[in-house]
Amino acid sequence: SLGWASGGSVGFKKSKRKSALAATVALDTIIDKAKSLGVSSLIVRMSGPGKVHRELLTRCSASGVKIDAIQNVTPIPHNGCRRPKARRV
């Protein structure tokens, strides 16, 4: 891993970290880092649900950087948290 970025690492706070603008700014940061290091292809790892993913991938390919692989690294609970006890009335 030569670099990474997220909505929080590029300066957005609280609920604005999940916005499409934060994702595009993070993508631009990663592309600039890759070009400065001379990297021509990327492996993209995205976490979380959202409609922004497809838009970001098209923007990334339009910037001239080749995408080798796309990985979804969203954490999936195996059994989840324990349910609360039933309320007795």
Side-chain angles (χ1 to χ4, degrees), residues 12-43:
F12 290 91
K13 302 288 182 193
K14 301 205 178 191
S15 63
K16 291 183 175 62
R17 289 184 295 181
K18 301 178 222 166
S19 68
L21 177 63
T24 55
V25 172
L27 178 70
D28 293 339
T29 304
I30 283 292
I31 290 172
D32 292 340
K33 280 183 188 178
K35 288 184 178 180
S36 68
L37 293 172
V39 177
S40 61
S41 62
L42 296 175
I43 296 175

Side-chain angles (χ1 to χ4, degrees), residues 27 30-31 39-46 53-71:
L27 178 70
I30 283 292
I31 290 172
V39 177
S40 61
S41 62
L42 296 175
I43 296 175
V44 179
R45 299 176 72 197
M46 294 187 177
H53 292 202
R54 181 170 288 129
E55 178 186 329
L56 290 178
L57 293 175
T58 56
R59 186 176 175 127
C60 187
S61 61
S63 69
V65 177
K66 182 182 170 221
I67 300 174
D68 283 342
I70 303 164
Q71 297 175 350

